Amino acid sequence: QSVLTQPPSASGTPGQRVAISCSGSSANIESNAVNWYQQLPGTAPKLLIYSNNQRPSGVPDRFSGSKSGTSASLAISGLQSEDEADYYCAAWDDSLNGYVFGTGTKVTVL
Amino acid sequence: EVQLVESGGGLVQPGGSLRLSCAISGFTFSSYSMNWVRQAPGKGLEWVSYISTSSGSIYYADSVKGRFAISRDNAKKSLYLQMSTLRAEDTAVYYCARGTYYDSSAYPYFDSWGQGTLVTVSS
């Protein structure tokens, strides 16, 4: 099972703000950068946020990331129907000497 | 355009072997670390293995250590995953993913992904 814990689901109406938490430990989130990936239904994952709060070119500024201690958070402001997807946090784990993904959060736009 | 195309998936019996390949185009393959990530049907993402640019550093998830072997051929612009002693729980879509570093970070994030290849382990 994953060492990074996310809520299984989150939802909101169009235009609302949704936040997804990612809880880890001193071996992963506290020590290393957190990245976020978006996976639309039936497609490969896509990088959404890297190094805690950096957006790759092409990712709307509605998406933002933050980190504090052993937790991280992804916020989606101005929720849109195309944001309906699975979201995963991830980080390197110094104890496991490997990369770990979060349990994943399914975002539903009501 | 950056492209990663996986191949080699299929149906294999428990205890069998399979070799996955990932063909690269659109970037200088030898300059990037690479990874394999898998996703079991209806489940979340699981990192499988990492290989550095020159193959000098290799890491595996505990779940595949001793059974899987990652390798790369920079001249052929290809990444491989040799899978042995396969189990039912290895059934998944396997993605190759490019690793990129930000600033002075010691560990990469995955900025480009292939479309995946399905491996099914079943008798």
Side-chain angles (χ1 to χ4, degrees), chain A residues 2 33 67:
Chain A
S2 176
K67 184 178 92 167

Side-chain angles (χ1 to χ4, degrees), chain B:
Chain B
E1 180 192 4
V2 172
Q3 283 198 326
L4 298 84
V5 180
E6 302 91 339
S7 61
L11 175 64
V12 59
Q13 291 189 337
S17 299
L18 208 57
R19 189 196 198 203
L20 305 184
S21 299
C22 176
I24 305 301
S25 62
F27 65 94
T28 305
F29 180 59
S30 58
S31 296
Y32 290 85
S33 63
M34 295 297 297
N35 298 264
W36 287 100
V37 177
R38 69 184 181 183
Q39 186 170 34
K43 303 297 184 183
L45 300 174
E46 181 189 15
W47 170 80
V48 172
S49 185
Y50 160 96
I51 187 167
S52 63
T53 55
S54 61
S55 306
S57 292
I58 287 176
Y59 301 105
Y60 298 100
D62 286 344
S63 57
V64 305
K65 204 171 290 182
R67 301 187 300 120
F68 288 13
I70 191 172
S71 63
R72 63 190 295 163
D73 186 329
N74 287 341
K76 293 184 178 179
K77 298 181 183 178
S78 293
L79 175 72
Y80 306 102
L81 186 67
Q82 178 67 48
M83 304 185 295
S84 305
T85 320
L86 283 162
R87 307 165 179 165
E89 53 265 37
D90 295 318
T91 294
V93 173
Y94 285 74
Y95 297 100
C96 59
R98 186 178 80 171
T100 295
Y101 296 82
Y102 176 69
D103 204 9
S104 59
S105 173
Y107 304 108
Y109 55 89
F110 307 155
D111 66 342
S112 294
W113 297 64
Q115 286 306 300
T117 187
L118 177 62
V119 172
T120 303
V121 183
S122 174
S123 54

Side-chain angles (χ1 to χ4, degrees), chain A residues 46-62:
Chain A
K46 167 193 166 187
L47 178 68
L48 196 64
I49 296 287
Y50 66 95
S51 193
N52 307 322
N53 54 19
Q54 302 296 307
R55 275 188 313 276
S57 172
V59 172
D61 59 6
R62 304 184 289 105

